[in-house]
Amino acid sequence: MAVDLAPAPAPAPAAVEVKAVEEEEEEVEGGGCGGGAVVVVAADAEAEGHPYDFHVSGPRNLPPPNWREIIRSNWKDPSYKRMVMACFIQAVYLLELDRQDLKGEEESLAPKWWKPFKYKVTQILVDERDGSIYGAVLEWDRSSALSDFILIRPSGTPRAVLALRGTLLQKPTMKRDLQDDLRFLVWESLKGSVRFIGALEALKAAVERFGSANVCVAGHSLGAGFAFQVCKELAKQGVFVECHLFNPPSVSLAMGVRSMSEKASYLWKKVKASLLLKEESTTTLESAKEEANDKKRLHTEKKWVPHLYVNNSDYICCNYNAPSCSSTSADGIPDEQQQQRKASEIAGDVVAKLFVTSKGPQKFLEAHGLQQWWSDGMELQLALYDSKLINRQLKSIYPTTAVSSPAKS
């Protein structure tokens, strides 16, 4: 269940504990707008202000807006793009907090998280049930770019970004957030939510205006669940949009029931196989070969590749890092060497780019937080092997995977 658990807010969505550290460095612990995280404030910057001010807890060492950077285009750097997407999601969290605190335009915290990147908010997604803000569409701000003498949009810069926040444990929106969390927990689907409908409409409008190649979607926690499903809905129609999912939810009762069913089915097939006659065994083998050929053919047809960012210490999203059944040895026992060999074989046919932190936060609240994804020194490892959960969730996009000759029973 994608819940950004955090202590009671003061004054933002989670308590902030400041610990003095030697040699002028401060560490701010707490929930953060995107769940628990650790923000290290630069030792040489005597930052003052609200804990969620961009200059206090935002990313450091942003490249200057000069011609050299524009020509080289930082947007071609995956780390830079990841950082910006995380900042845009943080802006959505703050849009809702600004609304709750009745902050005016001058004192609002949210705009500081998109202006440095030369973007502007053109649409705010509001939950009609409680009036809360759960998402926003940000577009390239040409007038702001021109003020810094940026005459052209750097290569790789999306024209529009749909950003979706996760759960806020605040009374004004907590009830509706938790309803969608429970919806995913029970059914592993968010399609029945008004937020799914609103996000899908906003995404379709952006794609129609700018084209799918110029639009990105980003979400954190519950917002990542919505982002994944609206992008998958378009992918079923052959429209592929770049998607960045931070701490996407992977825990659900539906998944647990399905997993037990798969295990029971696997055991039954083993028992059944031992009783098959030679003719039936041959039919089963032919069926398996056809299914393997279908899967191999689909590997070359798949075009939509979502980007997932996972911390293994976060039990809400860590299941995405579980390998598929195909990475087990013939006797059903996992084989690490076989898995590594498979990784090199399918590197060109991965169905999703799964990034796992190698030096991320270890405590759950911090591991599920958003702030880790724009922190300096973030080290990620690309998991190349098949993810069982991703494969299952993308199966509906490619229905031909289910086409195979039925075995006789």
Side-chain angles (χ1 to χ4, degrees), residues 6-85:
V16 178
E17 176 187 352
V18 180
K19 296 182 179 179
V21 182
E22 295 180 358
E23 299 181 2
E24 302 181 351
E25 186 170 324
E26 295 181 350
E27 183 179 278
V28 181
E29 286 190 30
C33 292
V38 171
V39 177
V40 178
V41 180
D44 59 346
E46 298 179 358
E48 295 181 0
H50 194 282
Y52 300 140
D53 267 329
F54 184 81
H55 74 278
V56 175
S57 58
R60 305 298 175 189
N61 305 318
L62 289 178
N66 54 43
W67 278 104
R68 182 179 180 183
E69 299 297 334
I70 295 171
I71 295 173
R72 187 171 56 187
S73 184
N74 294 296
W75 282 92
K76 294 180 180 179
D77 180 1
S79 296
Y80 180 82
K81 180 174 286 189
R82 182 198 73 236
M83 176 191 71
V84 179
M85 293 297 161

Side-chain angles (χ1 to χ4, degrees), residues 228-289:
F228 187 89
Q229 294 198 4
V230 296
C231 287
K232 188 170 74 169
E233 193 68 19
L234 287 188
K236 291 178 181 179
Q237 304 170 24
V239 179
F240 305 103
V241 178
E242 186 174 328
C243 186
H244 296 265
L245 311 171
F246 300 89
N247 301 90
S250 64
V251 180
S252 72
L253 296 176
M255 183 180 68
V257 172
R258 189 180 292 109
S259 178
M260 288 188 290
S261 176
E262 289 175 353
K263 289 180 180 178
S265 176
Y266 173 73
L267 291 174
W268 167 242
K269 285 180 179 179
K270 291 195 69 175
V271 173
K272 186 178 178 180
S274 64
L275 301 176
L276 284 176
L277 298 176
K278 184 176 181 180
E279 181 180 354
E280 293 176 327
S281 179
T282 303
T283 303
T284 303
L285 182 61
E286 293 176 352
S287 175
K289 287 182 178 180

Side-chain angles (χ1 to χ4, degrees), residues 116-189:
F117 307 107
K118 308 307 175 187
Y119 275 79
K120 61 182 178 181
V121 170
T122 58
Q123 182 182 357
I124 293 178
L125 305 186
V126 178
D127 190 325
E128 61 186 28
R129 300 171 297 182
D130 60 1
S132 63
I133 298 172
Y134 65 91
V137 176
L138 301 98
E139 296 180 12
W140 173 255
D141 189 352
R142 187 169 181 271
S143 60
S144 177
L146 288 174
S147 66
D148 278 332
F149 304 101
I150 301 176
L151 305 180
I152 58 174
R153 182 168 54 91
S155 176
T157 307
R159 292 286 301 275
V161 177
L162 171 62
L164 302 168
R165 68 166 175 85
T167 304
L168 272 176
L169 296 184
Q170 297 279 88
K171 285 186 178 180
T173 186
M174 178 174 64
K175 179 180 178 181
R176 300 305 182 187
D177 288 358
L178 291 179
Q179 281 183 351
D180 285 328
D181 286 320
L182 291 174
R183 185 189 304 274
F184 183 88
L185 176 64
V186 176
W187 293 293
E188 200 177 359
S189 175

